[in-house]
């Protein structure tokens, strides 16, 4: 028997149990199944687990050599095996400044140097000292990037917009759809606009197409020489940045050991730093660093990312849940589900193990979600009464940054009630006692017994956001280790991009013979025939 088969066997016992009964039979259940770190509380007691489940899951973590894997990541080992790279987003926020070595080089000095460069630059923009080609102050900052070079700063700037300078407007252009850049440029004045071209490779089709359009816009309005006054770059590719016409002193570097979806903490966060200021950005890094130390040093049974990961593994791999909802009850976190969708699904949406064999178990779930009570008036129907079991994470701050009347009490009452409703449901007997019409009873019954976690923290600050994101990053890491997949590559996004490169000339050259399947050929023909 392996731990895997032990857990499979154990599902038979759990399938016979009911969450509501587990609570009724054990008044200490919450006490047993929660963990805290600083002001953050993780309540995982509303999962279908018992003492035995938890001890088996902790054993699973141990036998998966999780401790060693954590140490490997923190010490700069090349754990991204398919790309032969270390994974060191933790170094970007290593506020203790302890040396971290890659090929005998301590990476901390170069990380600190870029942070300093970002500080000087962001201060200048915020103070109105960085001027455009005609000598005017910058008013609009446009980040051009996609995926990992877009979602992090976009999500975080919205999450921390309470702390944002009112003097500047921020825009994020990512989609290659011309509407994205056109609508953004319509809101900006070329004389007072700064573009941050964010691209690790500086070759990404969408980003380079958008950047070129922005460059043409500046040229048309201010002349060709204006580029260097209105563009800065964040990249690893110095040569391409220079070729684009961006001054080397206005380039902010990062490195191969930072994965795109883990790059918010690097110079990719430049727009965020301009928005909330250097101090705010450092607070974000500090929050993440605190969580890093907690993750590295805390025994698994009290370790928030490990516990959150184990609940996910239990629900997905053992109990068969295919999806996973992240439901932040804080308007500022509206884009968190979008951000976590990339973090989780691009990292763990894999079906080949590190040993090249196909997995025969379920890995990363389908993640979705939305902020506040909005979802309650829409897809929560399925979560409460549908045929799918959707484990959910409810996330809420105890205080609102905008305490207004009784809004926040209502919000908190809702988030707490949702997890209770999912857990306990509503029985036929309860409905009868309420005098519900007999014919409607089947439709109004709630089975309950549906799992969720609740994460509470004091309030939305840069530090709190840092902790929250790091919590999810490490959760994803732990799951990748246990599933024995490489969470740090993303070959699955390549094929579509490659094929698009072949289709593009075929759309443009109507005489080119088509050699695809009948559907693809017909779609190309249709576009050819209708598009002049
Ligand atoms: C993230 C992915 C991906 C990447 C984008 C943008 O982990 O690698 O989302 O961030 O494809 O890539 P560039 O930064 O190279 O433009």
């Amino acid at each position: 028997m392996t731990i895997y088969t032990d857990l499979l066997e154990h599902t038979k016992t759990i399938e016979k149990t009911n969450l509501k009964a587990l609570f009724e039979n054990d008044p200490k259940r919450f006490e047993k199944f929660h963990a805290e770190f600083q002001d953050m509380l993780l309540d995982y007691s509303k999962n279908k687990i018992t003492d035995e489940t938890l001890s088996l899951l902790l054993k699973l973590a141990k036998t998966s050599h999780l401790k060693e894997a954590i140490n490997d990541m923190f010490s700069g080992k090349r754990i991204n095996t398919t790309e032969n790279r270390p994974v060191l987003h933790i170094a970007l926020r290593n506020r203790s400044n302890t040396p971290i070595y890659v090929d005998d080089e301590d990476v901390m000095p170069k990380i600190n140097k870029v942070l300093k460069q970002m500080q000087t630059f962001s201060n200048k923009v915020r103070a109105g000292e960085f001027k455009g080609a005609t000598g005017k102050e910058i008013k609009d900052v446009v980040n051009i990037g996609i995926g990992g070079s877009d979602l992090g700063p976009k999500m975080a700037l919205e999450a921390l917009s309470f702390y944002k300078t009112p003097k500047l407007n921020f825009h994020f252009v990512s989609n290659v759809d011309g509407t994205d850049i056109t609508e953004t440029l319509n809101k900006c004045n070329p004389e007072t606009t700064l573009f941050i071209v964010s691209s690790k490779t500086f070759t990404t089709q969408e980003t380079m197409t958008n950047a070129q359009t922005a460059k043409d816009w500046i040229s048309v309005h201010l002349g060709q020489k204006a580029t260097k006054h209105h563009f800065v770059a964040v990249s690893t590719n110095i040569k391409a940045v220079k070729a684009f016409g961006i001054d080397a002193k206005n380039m902010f570097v990062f490195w191969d050991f930072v994965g795109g979806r883990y790059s918010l903490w690097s110079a990719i966060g430049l727009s965020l730093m301009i928005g909330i200021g250097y101090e705010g950005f450092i607070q974000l890094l500090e929050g993440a660093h605190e969580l890093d130390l907690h993750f590295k040093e805390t025994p698994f049974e009290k370790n928030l990312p490990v516990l959150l990961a184990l609940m996910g593994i239990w629900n997905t791999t053992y109990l068969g849940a295919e999806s996973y909802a992240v439901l932040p009850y804080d308007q500022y976190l509206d884009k968190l589900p979008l951000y976590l969708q990339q973090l989780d699904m691009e990292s763990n949406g894999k079906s080949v193990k590190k040993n090249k064999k196909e997995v025969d178990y379920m890995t990363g779930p389908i993640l979705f979600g939305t902020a506040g009570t909005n979802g309650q008036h829409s897809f929560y129907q399925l979560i409460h009464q549908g045929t799918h079991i959707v484990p959910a994470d409810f996330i809420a701050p105890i205080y609102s940054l905008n305490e207004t009347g009784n809004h926040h009490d209502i919000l908190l009452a809702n988030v707490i009630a949702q997890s209770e409703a999912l857990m306990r449901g509503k029985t036929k007997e309860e409905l009868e006692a309420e005098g519900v019409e007999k014919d409607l009873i089947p439709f109004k019954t709630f089975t309950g017994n549906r799992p969720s976690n609740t994460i509470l923290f004091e309030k939305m600050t840069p530090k709190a956001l840092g902790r929250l994101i790091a919590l999810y990053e490490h959760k994803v890491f732990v799951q990748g280790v246990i599933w024995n997949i490489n969470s740090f590559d993303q070959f699955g996004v390549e094929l579509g991009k490659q094929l698009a490169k072949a289709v593009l000339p075929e759309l443009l050259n109507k005489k080119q013979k088509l050699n695809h399947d009948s559907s693809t050929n017909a779609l190309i023909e249709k576009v050819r025939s209708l598009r002049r």
Side-chain angles (χ1 to χ4, degrees):
M1 290 277 272
T2 62
I3 179 66
Y4 178 64
T5 49
D6 283 349
L7 272 157
L8 275 183
E9 191 59 31
H10 178 64
T11 59
K12 292 182 194 153
T13 318
I14 287 298
E15 266 149 19
K16 284 184 223 131
T17 62
N18 181 290
L19 263 176
K20 193 175 155 200
L22 290 174
F23 272 98
E24 282 165 359
N25 296 337
D26 182 3
K28 293 226 163 96
R29 187 171 168 82
F30 167 79
E31 234 161 86
K32 273 193 213 157
F33 300 132
H34 82 272
E36 283 177 274
F37 173 64
Q38 299 192 346
D39 62 333
M40 195 187 260
L41 163 77
L42 167 66
D43 172 13
Y44 59 97
S45 62
K46 291 191 181 98
N47 283 284
K48 292 175 72 172
I49 57 166
T50 60
D51 293 335
E52 192 189 351
T53 325
L54 186 60
S55 96
L56 285 169
L57 287 169
L58 289 167
K59 194 166 161 206
L60 174 70
K62 207 166 161 217
T63 52
S64 305
H65 305 290
L66 179 58
K67 189 82 209 146
E68 293 83 341
I70 295 172
N71 288 336
D72 286 351
M73 172 165 73
F74 278 80
S75 60
K77 289 237 171 82
R78 293 178 183 271
I79 59 169
N80 177 355
T81 45
T82 51
E83 296 178 316
N84 192 29
R85 290 177 185 163
V87 173
L88 281 178
H89 43 282
I90 53 103
L92 301 167
R93 58 214 193 195
N94 173 19
R95 301 306 297 158
S96 343
N97 224 3
T98 45
I100 297 177
Y101 293 97
V102 173
D103 297 333
D104 298 329
E105 182 202 358
D106 177 11
V107 295
M108 290 316 298
K110 60 185 183 188
I111 288 173
N112 292 330
K113 193 171 160 208
V114 175
L115 259 180
K116 187 93 200 122
Q117 186 198 2
M118 289 167 70
Q119 178 184 20
T120 309
F121 182 76
S122 60
N123 281 344
K124 262 185 159 178
V125 178
R126 285 165 67 84
E129 287 160 15
F130 183 92
K131 305 256 170 37
T134 57
K136 292 197 174 153
E137 284 181 22
I138 295 302
K139 292 213 168 75
D140 289 90
V141 177
V142 182
N143 185 80
I144 300 180
I146 195 165
S149 299
D150 166 67
L151 284 164
K154 184 160 70 187
M155 174 278 295
L157 193 59
E158 183 170 310
L160 300 175
S161 49
F162 185 82
Y163 307 92
K164 184 180 86 65
T165 170
K167 286 205 249 162
L168 293 161
N169 303 312
F170 290 84
H171 315 268
F172 289 84
V173 174
S174 53
N175 198 339
V176 76
D177 183 336
T179 300
D180 202 1
I181 184 94
T182 305
E183 286 290 343
T184 303
L185 296 182
N186 285 345
K187 291 179 206 137
C188 300
N189 171 354
E191 286 182 278
T192 54
T193 300
L194 171 71
F195 293 94
I196 303 176
V197 186
S198 296
S199 176
K200 185 169 165 181
T201 53
F202 229 71
T203 56
T204 305
Q205 190 183 42
E206 292 91 332
T207 302
M208 295 331 292
T209 307
N210 281 321
Q212 189 57 50
T213 301
K215 191 175 161 186
D216 294 344
W217 183 73
I218 288 290
S219 289
V220 165
H221 290 92
L222 306 174
Q224 275 196 357
K225 289 195 179 137
T227 307
K228 65 173 188 294
H229 299 281
H230 291 267
F231 282 83
V232 299
V234 180
S235 187
T236 57
N237 186 346
I238 302 180
K239 221 168 127 197
V241 168
K242 281 194 188 151
F244 185 85
I246 293 177
D247 237 333
K249 74 171 194 310
N250 286 334
M251 174 177 176
F252 301 82
V253 292
F254 64 116
W255 310 271
D256 264 357
F257 57 73
V258 183
R261 54 193 172 276
Y262 299 89
S263 64
L264 165 66
W265 325 96
S266 72
I268 289 291
L270 184 62
S271 53
L272 175 66
M273 189 190 280
I274 297 173
I276 63 167
Y278 175 76
E279 280 308 323
F281 192 82
I282 293 296
Q283 290 289 307
L284 176 89
L285 300 187
E286 270 173 11
H289 181 55
E290 287 168 2
L291 205 294
D292 291 344
L293 296 179
H294 163 82
F295 177 52
K296 193 165 169 254
E297 287 159 10
T298 311
F300 292 164
E301 55 275 18
K302 291 195 176 135
N303 191 314
L304 270 69
V306 172
L307 291 166
L308 193 61
L310 292 178
M311 293 308 113
I313 299 237
W314 177 236
N315 286 323
T316 304
T317 304
Y318 294 95
L319 299 182
E322 295 194 342
S323 54
Y324 169 38
V326 177
L327 308 165
Y329 278 61
D330 182 335
Q331 192 58 38
Y332 286 124
L333 290 177
D334 195 31
K335 293 206 169 61
L336 184 71
L338 197 70
Y339 175 80
L340 294 183
Q341 218 164 40
Q342 178 186 31
L343 176 65
D344 206 312
M345 292 165 76
E346 201 174 24
S347 298
N348 287 342
K350 314 267 164 79
S351 47
V352 176
K353 289 189 262 189
K354 286 188 198 151
N355 63 9
K356 302 180 200 151
K357 300 223 165 81
E358 279 224 21
V359 297
D360 53 2
Y361 43 80
M362 202 124 75
T363 62
I366 303 156
L367 191 153
F368 70 102
T370 193
T373 59
N374 296 350
Q376 291 178 205
H377 297 262
S378 122
F379 58 80
Y380 278 36
Q381 165 63 40
L382 181 149
I383 301 187
H384 283 283
Q385 284 191 318
T387 52
H388 300 267
I389 294 297
V390 185
D393 285 359
F394 294 100
I395 304 170
I398 304 285
Y399 292 100
S400 168
L401 292 173
N402 303 292
E403 289 286 345
T404 314
N406 60 352
H407 285 248
H408 204 63
D409 297 320
I410 296 176
L411 187 76
L412 288 173
N414 272 281
V415 67
I416 293 171
Q418 284 299 325
S419 71
E420 186 185 20
L422 286 171
M423 178 273 287
R424 68 193 301 280
K426 196 162 196 179
T427 61
K428 180 169 163 261
E429 292 71 28
E430 286 169 315
L431 290 162
E432 278 168 357
E434 281 176 14
V436 171
E437 203 182 311
K438 198 164 168 265
D439 280 351
L440 287 179
I441 285 184
F443 305 103
K444 294 200 165 189
T445 303
F446 289 73
T447 56
N449 205 20
R450 292 172 187 244
S452 69
N453 298 298
T454 299
I455 297 166
L456 298 179
F457 58 97
E458 195 186 340
K459 66 175 184 214
M460 179 45 68
T461 60
K463 236 183 193 185
L465 184 69
R467 284 186 205 124
L468 189 64
I469 303 172
L471 168 73
Y472 277 96
E473 282 179 351
H474 295 321
K475 180 213 86 142
V476 166
F477 172 81
V478 171
Q479 294 184 330
V481 170
I482 293 177
W483 285 323
N484 194 20
I485 53 180
N486 179 5
S487 301
F488 300 104
D489 59 14
Q490 55 282 315
F491 296 115
V493 302
E494 294 304 327
L495 179 60
K497 287 199 239 174
Q498 270 170 24
L499 296 190
K501 287 211 172 109
V503 172
L504 180 62
E506 292 172 344
L507 289 179
L508 301 177
N509 177 5
K510 298 191 179 184
K511 292 198 183 119
Q512 195 171 325
K513 205 170 163 295
L514 298 177
N515 230 343
H516 306 265
D517 57 276
S518 63
S519 158
T520 310
N521 283 344
L523 294 171
I524 294 172
E525 291 290 8
K526 183 77 181 169
V527 173
R528 278 177 170 179
S529 67
L530 292 178
R531 212 177 134 80
R532 257 167 285 138

